[in-house]
Amino acid sequence: MAILKIARMGHPVLRGVAAEIADPTVPEIARLAADMRETLVDIGGAGLAAPQVHVPLRLVLFQVPPERTTGAEDDLPLDLTVLANPVIEPLGEARELGWEGCLSVPGLRGAVPRWTRIRYRGLSVRGERIERIAAGFHARVVQHECDHLDGILYPQRMTDLRLLVFNEEGMRYPIDLGAGVA
Ligand code: NI
């Protein structure tokens, strides 16, 4: 296994559309997933997408630590999930604002509108079909990671760039997003 180098905003791999994985059960994908897992554990993030490690394939990893759950229905703690070829479908029209950071945009955070509830599906690296309903932080991290597969970084989703701040300043001068309804 190996800790992989993270691509940062400006690298073209983060702007491209990643390719479908023909067979997520091949050893190359298992190795990529294991390396991405090791990288994520080393850096300590909530999620990682393959383009962020310079691999333009549709593979994402994410987890929901207990302290990040919002208390919303369908927002439960989740162990690290590896998903190939994920597809997202919003459930309802509701969106909410919440803070996001990204390993490819270090040092910053921004308030991003996301679907409140989604259904997502994809394949595990064992070829099993995964389908879940998610809300709150769980829904947010999945939308963030899947955006990477289409070359989208979270600032592109922001509707108010005044809410793009350095982490240190954000801690010094907290911004209340209110109800957070976008
Ligand atoms: Ni990211």
Side-chain angles (χ1 to χ4, degrees):
M1 295 211 293
I3 292 171
L4 306 171
K5 187 179 177 201
I6 303 284
R8 296 196 301 172
M9 184 166 62
H11 193 294
V13 74
L14 296 173
R15 288 196 294 272
V17 175
E20 290 272 324
I21 295 173
D23 180 358
T25 66
V26 298
E28 290 78 8
I29 298 300
R31 191 175 315 124
L32 172 63
D35 287 347
M36 286 173 64
R37 176 190 293 257
E38 192 178 10
T39 302
L40 188 60
V41 168
D42 179 67
I43 300 180
L48 190 62
Q52 291 184 276
V53 294
H54 306 84
V55 178
L57 291 176
R58 303 189 83 81
L59 188 75
V60 294
L61 277 69
F62 51 87
Q63 58 193 342
V64 181
E67 67 274 15
R68 302 298 290 273
T69 55
T70 57
E73 190 188 356
D74 297 317
D75 186 21
L76 299 172
L78 181 74
D79 287 338
L80 198 68
T81 292
V82 179
L83 209 56
N85 303 332
V87 176
I88 292 177
E89 173 196 345
L91 296 177
E93 299 287 309
R95 300 198 302 165
E96 60 194 6
L97 266 185
W99 293 103
E100 294 183 21
C102 181
L103 297 172
S104 296
V105 191
L108 295 172
R109 65 174 76 164
V112 185
R114 298 285 186 188
W115 301 112
T116 302
R117 276 173 72 80
I118 60 168
R119 177 183 290 123
Y120 67 89
R121 35 175 89 86
L123 293 171
S124 78
V125 289
R126 288 180 296 279
E128 304 149 334
R129 199 180 146 86
I130 294 174
E131 178 170 335
R132 295 186 187 134
I133 289 174
F137 181 79
H138 185 177
R140 178 171 297 279
V141 70
V142 172
Q143 290 171 82
H144 177 117
E145 298 313 327
C146 290
D147 264 357
H148 280 296
L149 306 182
D150 292 323
I152 297 168
L153 298 175
Y154 77 80
Q156 294 164 249
R157 293 287 190 194
M158 292 181 65
T159 48
D160 183 352
L161 285 172
R162 293 175 304 175
L163 302 177
L164 181 63
V165 302
F166 285 101
N167 285 326
E168 287 160 23
E169 308 306 324
M171 279 185 276
R172 244 172 112 181
Y173 307 106
I175 299 171
D176 182 6
L177 297 180
V181 177

